[in-house]
Amino acid sequence: MRSDSEITADHWSKNVASSDAFSPQVYWLAVPAVQQRFQRLACGGTDHRWWVQYCLGEFLDRSISPIRMLSIGCGSGTLERDLFRLNAFSECDAIDIAPGAIDIARKEANLIGASNIKYHVQDVQKTPLEKNTYDAVWFNGSLHHIKELESVCGSVRNALKPGGWVFYNEYVGANHFAFPGRQREVVESAFRLLPPEYRRSFQLEHFGKVQFNVQLPEPAEVIKVDPSEAIRSQDIRRVLSDYFVEHAFNPCGGNILQFALHGIAGNFVETDPRSMALLQMLFDIEDTLLNNRFFETDFAVGVARVP
């Protein structure tokens, strides 16, 4: 019988950032207007347009040299390649438990000449990190897959140099997507506000068919597909605060949009003004409910530092 970590490694060897699950027709954050809104919120009201530039520009002292970084749960390596293009580091280590994703990351890094990125298949929950090594550690959608948050945060704290930074872009909502009843009701109600022609599916199993119900996940099915998915997501901010000093926590929403748009994202294109108006309606509903504390944000960009 395969272990949970083997199931997770196999799942993320196949479902990398370039796979169909993250295509512009299926994935909510692949819709340009949704992504723009997310990044505006992620940057906390500053002039930055992207969470990575926000973290680098507002917090990391780029004058120090050399700068060494670590990316935990790097997947197929998109973040590290972006950081390389920004000349953000002298060296960057990147680790993930999925061999297939690491293979892609190495190939893509070689194509752009990023020889200062070193990729390794490694489980951060089982292998301690080298002490006093890094100026910054990044989690890009990986921290919510970590069960042993306390031990990993302790390991990261030891691995950071004095004053080192933790940057994260994460799902911080309900564990295994076990949303409370009223949030599920809101998502379903918002979905039903969309006209039928904007609820046509782009998923292969029911391509072109009008969807009448939101595909809200059942926790048991989530665990079956990937036992690590959102395993302790709702604990992330609290646990981080036990090991680091929080410098920023920027709510990015997603409470309605993540699943209301899942599978139908391709219906919302900038050349269709009506689709943009419908998106704005969903934005306004989500923003109003978040601003009035109807629920807490499901996604956030955060910044923390070694005290």
Side-chain angles (χ1 to χ4, degrees), residues 29 35 41 43 108 135 213 222 279 287:
L29 279 174
Q35 181 64 228
L41 295 170
C43 294
E108 294 296 325
D135 301 285
N213 297 295
V222 172
L279 267 188
D287 288 342

Side-chain angles (χ1 to χ4, degrees), residues 36 39-51 53-55 57-58 250:
Q36 289 165 15
Q39 294 301 333
R40 175 177 55 80
L41 295 170
C43 294
T46 65
D47 291 334
H48 301 284
R49 296 188 177 183
W50 179 34
W51 78 278
Q53 291 176 325
Y54 163 76
C55 292
E58 296 293 319
N250 300 335

